[in-house]
Each structure stands twice: as C-alpha cells, then as structure tokens.
Amino acid sequence: MEILTEIAGWIFQFIGELLLQAIGEALAELLGHSVKEPFRRPRPPHPGLAALGYLTFGAAAGALSVWLVPTLFIKMTWLRIANLALTPLAMGLLMDAVGSWREQREKEVLRLETFAYGFCFAFAMAVVRFAFGR
C-alpha cells in the first residue's frame, strides 16, 4: 500500500510540472496569435532560426516560471531527469494536437503548434526549471 501512495505522489508531481508547462505554452501561443500581424514577414524565417527562437522563448518562460514558482513540484533527482524528456514530449504532442485542431477549423497555425517547435519550447523551459529551481 505504501508503494502505491509513493507512485501516486510521483504522478501528481509530474502532473504539476506538466500543468506549469502547459500554462507556459498556452500563454506563448496566445501571445503569438495576438502579436503575429506586426511581425509578419514576406518569407517565413528559416526553420533552424525559428527553433532557436522557440528555445529562447522557452528558456525565458522557464526563468519566469522559476521566479513565480521557485520550488519544483518533482522532488527526486531521477524523476527530475525523467521530466526533462517526458514533459517536453507530452507538450510537443499536445501542441501538435492543438495545431491539428486549428487546421481542421481552417484557422492559422503557428509553428509553436507543431510537435517539433512545441517540444523545443517545452524542453528549454524544463531545462531552466531543472537547473535553477529548488
């Protein structure tokens, strides 16, 4: 019974970090949709440059989240390391689902709303939280 309680605790820790990441990505998506018009370019930027931009924005979101919520939800080091892979994967899948949903409704899709760029944003955010969170 004690092991089940411990496993449930781990799951809730992951859910806390996942929700924080989801909030960060949702805010970035809202910001992206609200300010895209003044920054529209005749040609979209190179995918590598866009990935670097999402890594930078993800790191900034991670820094902001550490400032607002300095204590990490995940306490054990090995679970924090697992979080570096699992949470960005989940966020990439979630953002890809959001992009597909928007595409089906014939709405404009941001690059953030794809697996790769959603993963980049979430990975940078997770790395900053891992490195600087308590």
Side-chain angles (χ1 to χ4, degrees):
M1 187 66 170
E2 187 176 309
I3 190 79
L4 291 177
T5 305
E6 192 167 327
I7 291 171
W10 294 345
I11 291 169
F12 283 120
Q13 291 173 20
F14 269 114
I15 289 172
E17 285 294 324
L18 189 68
L19 284 175
L20 192 61
Q21 290 266 351
I23 290 167
E25 293 230 15
L27 290 174
E29 181 184 15
L30 287 172
L31 183 66
H33 280 292
S34 65
V35 300
K36 67 184 173 225
E37 197 57 44
F39 299 103
R40 202 173 290 282
R41 299 171 61 176
R43 287 189 357 229
H46 187 275
L49 185 60
L52 184 61
Y54 283 117
L55 286 168
T56 303
F57 289 134
L64 180 63
S65 73
V66 167
W67 180 65
L68 293 172
V69 185
T71 304
L72 297 175
F73 295 108
I74 300 175
K75 305 298 179 208
M76 300 176 75
T77 304
W78 71 273
L79 284 173
R80 287 181 181 178
I81 293 169
N83 180 59
L84 288 175
L86 297 177
T87 300
L89 282 172
M91 288 293 94
L93 291 170
L94 177 66
M95 294 309 290
D96 193 52
V98 168
S100 294
W101 181 83
R102 289 185 62 83
E103 200 171 69
Q104 288 173 354
R105 282 151 185 76
E106 297 179 4
K107 297 184 183 236
E108 187 175 6
V109 177
L110 298 175
R111 284 187 178 186
L112 180 61
E113 297 164 339
T114 64
F115 176 81
Y117 295 111
F119 178 89
C120 286
F121 184 96
F123 182 71
M125 187 172 174
V127 166
V128 169
R129 287 196 54 78
F130 177 83
F132 298 106
R134 290 181 265 165

